[in-house]
Amino acid sequence: HSILYRLRIMVVTNEGKAIPTDMSVKVGGRVFHPSLPVIDGAGPTALEVGFQSSLDAFIKENIPLEPKEGIETRERVLSRMGNLCREWIRYACVQKGLNADSAGGQLFTSGSYRLGVHEPGADIDTILVAPGAVRREDFFGTATSSDDENNEGHRDPNSLAERIKRHPDVTNFVPVEGAAVPILTFDWEGINIDLLFARLNTNT
């Protein structure tokens, strides 16, 4: 059976007066607000209460929830990643003669984590949006030549890929340079991260 949900923003007090209530939900430090208009302001029926109880029991039995420690680890990793990415963007802009203070750049999440429906152990899909002056070559780092024919050369240590690769909390680092969209995949404090790179049409 399908379960129908009705958004409600009114609650009834002991005096019988309806007052508005906040329908926003906080998940992992982020606040989500309803994007649909209110359909019905009435309280739940007995049938709906039964449906809700069945749904709660199913979720408890079949859908594992991430503990508080796991949520805090993910938030800490994303915060540190964001700082590292912004530092790299400022450096890259300075190298190109641009004003680092107005460079901008932002790390976004997507996928199940962004929707707040990820399970414990799930990866985090992220997208780094940078100014147009910061290019694919800056992201991966241009390889320098090497006298050793068996050595592919060294990457620019100031590229984002090399900065992440050298970070003490990062393991299993793999750059995917052949992909249409530049991507780095790695584990940060044991959490698998897919980092995509996107450029704006402007330099700020």
Side-chain angles (χ1 to χ4, degrees):
H1 299 281
S2 62
I3 299 178
L4 301 179
Y5 300 92
R6 300 192 300 179
L7 296 176
R8 305 175 181 86
I9 61 169
M10 307 296 290
V11 295
V12 180
T13 65
N14 292 333
E15 292 77 17
K17 297 180 179 179
I19 59 174
T21 187
D22 185 9
M23 291 294 295
S24 61
V25 178
K26 188 174 183 180
V27 179
R30 294 165 296 159
V31 178
F32 297 87
H33 300 280
S35 58
L36 300 175
V38 176
I39 298 174
D40 188 348
T45 65
L47 180 61
E48 290 173 334
V49 170
F51 282 153
Q52 186 64 49
S53 298
S54 299
L55 179 61
D56 290 341
F58 177 84
I59 291 175
K60 184 176 181 180
E61 181 178 354
N62 296 280
I63 302 177
L65 299 178
E66 186 158 40
K68 180 180 179 180
E69 295 77 10
I71 294 175
E72 291 175 346
T73 299
R74 290 174 181 270
E75 291 178 345
R76 180 175 64 251
V77 166
L78 289 173
S79 175
R80 293 176 178 175
M81 272 185 59
N83 291 336
L84 188 151
C85 290
R86 284 186 289 273
E87 290 175 3
W88 167 70
I89 289 174
R90 286 194 292 268
Y91 170 84
C93 287
V94 168
Q95 294 300 109
K96 298 174 186 294
L98 300 176
N99 185 353
D101 294 333
S102 61
Q106 186 64 44
L107 181 69
F108 297 94
T109 58
S110 63
S112 61
Y113 181 80
R114 176 67 181 83
L115 295 174
V117 296
H118 64 281
E119 297 182 0
D123 66 349
I124 302 180
D125 297 312
T126 60
I127 304 170
L128 176 61
V129 179
V134 182
R135 300 185 173 277
R136 186 187 190 105
E137 294 76 16
D138 303 313
F139 183 74
F140 289 112
T142 304
T144 59
S145 60
S146 173
D147 295 333
D148 185 355
E149 62 180 7
N150 295 321
N151 192 330
E152 296 181 353
H154 300 284
R155 296 285 180 175
D156 179 1
N158 290 308
S159 67
L160 181 61
E162 290 299 308
R163 290 181 184 223
I164 292 177
K165 181 180 179 180
R166 296 195 310 268
H167 195 282
D169 293 329
V170 171
T171 57
N172 302 321
F173 177 85
V174 178
V176 187
E177 296 187 61
V181 177
I183 181 172
L184 305 175
T185 178
F186 50 90
D187 294 340
W188 190 313
E189 291 191 40
I191 297 175
N192 183 248
I193 305 289
D194 288 337
L195 175 60
L196 281 71
F197 176 64
R199 296 169 53 230
L200 298 174
N201 290 329
T202 62
N203 289 333
T204 58

